Amino acid sequence: MEKSIENILGKSDLITMSPLVLAYIGDTVYETYIRDHLIKCNKNKKVNDLHKLAINYVKAKSQADIIHSIEDELTEEEHRIYKRGRNQKSHTSPKNGDIIDYKHATGFEALIGYLYLDKQMDRLRYLVDRSIDFIEK
């Protein structure tokens, strides 16, 4: 019988997990929240239009701006996860944007991934909502 990820990851596993792995899952989780939000707010839009809207929330520049806007609200643990993601050497480079924004975005995604895998869903939802508010202001 296969084990689900929620049954095999403890707190120590999450703290020592590669920040790029956290960012990998965080990217998907964040984009899913954004897509859900956009569909709820734009029920009759075409998929291509929804995709164009989503880009404003998920591009590296936006994520870098978001993390800067909420950084003062992060707990010590969250800040440590963000910094580990931001400082991790990546083997990829941004297609559109600069490397500094890309690094901050990676830290943001690592934080989202960490909160998701740690099942801190209320905190995750709060930070995603703050992100949406920031982009939509």
Side-chain angles (χ1 to χ4, degrees), residues 72-124:
D72 290 343
E73 296 181 49
L74 300 181
T75 66
E76 188 176 312
E77 177 183 44
E78 291 168 348
H79 201 262
R80 189 170 47 255
I81 297 296
Y82 156 67
K83 284 184 5 180
R84 282 184 57 226
R86 181 196 66 196
N87 295 338
Q88 183 69 38
K89 180 164 177 52
S90 176
H91 300 289
T92 60
S93 58
K95 290 182 276 186
N96 303 310
D98 73 27
I99 191 70
I100 302 299
D101 286 341
Y102 186 74
K103 286 180 165 293
H104 287 284
T106 301
F108 173 75
E109 290 173 346
L111 174 58
I112 296 297
Y114 175 80
L115 293 173
Y116 174 76
L117 291 175
D118 198 36
K119 298 178 195 64
Q120 294 185 43
M121 302 316 265
D122 289 340
R123 183 63 173 165
L124 171 62

Side-chain angles (χ1 to χ4, degrees), residues 9 14 17-34 57-59 62-64 66-67 70 74-75 77-86 103-132:
L9 291 178
L14 292 174
M17 184 176 285
S18 163
L20 295 179
V21 172
L22 294 174
Y24 175 74
I25 190 72
D27 174 59
T28 300
V29 169
Y30 180 68
E31 188 159 355
T32 300
Y33 273 98
I34 294 305
Y57 297 81
V58 301
K59 64 185 176 184
S62 294
Q63 290 180 353
I66 289 164
I67 194 66
I70 63 173
L74 300 181
T75 66
E77 177 183 44
E78 291 168 348
H79 201 262
R80 189 170 47 255
I81 297 296
Y82 156 67
K83 284 184 5 180
R84 282 184 57 226
R86 181 196 66 196
K103 286 180 165 293
H104 287 284
T106 301
F108 173 75
E109 290 173 346
L111 174 58
I112 296 297
Y114 175 80
L115 293 173
Y116 174 76
L117 291 175
D118 198 36
K119 298 178 195 64
Q120 294 185 43
M121 302 316 265
D122 289 340
R123 183 63 173 165
L124 171 62
R125 187 70 194 161
Y126 173 77
L127 293 179
V128 171
D129 287 344
R130 290 279 287 115
S131 302
I132 291 168

Side-chain angles (χ1 to χ4, degrees), residues 33-50:
Y33 273 98
I34 294 305
R35 287 180 180 202
D36 180 67
H37 168 74
L38 292 174
I39 289 168
K40 287 176 182 172
C41 295
N42 303 280
K43 293 179 180 85
N44 297 318
K45 290 246 185 204
K46 294 178 182 174
V47 172
N48 190 45
D49 294 334
L50 290 169

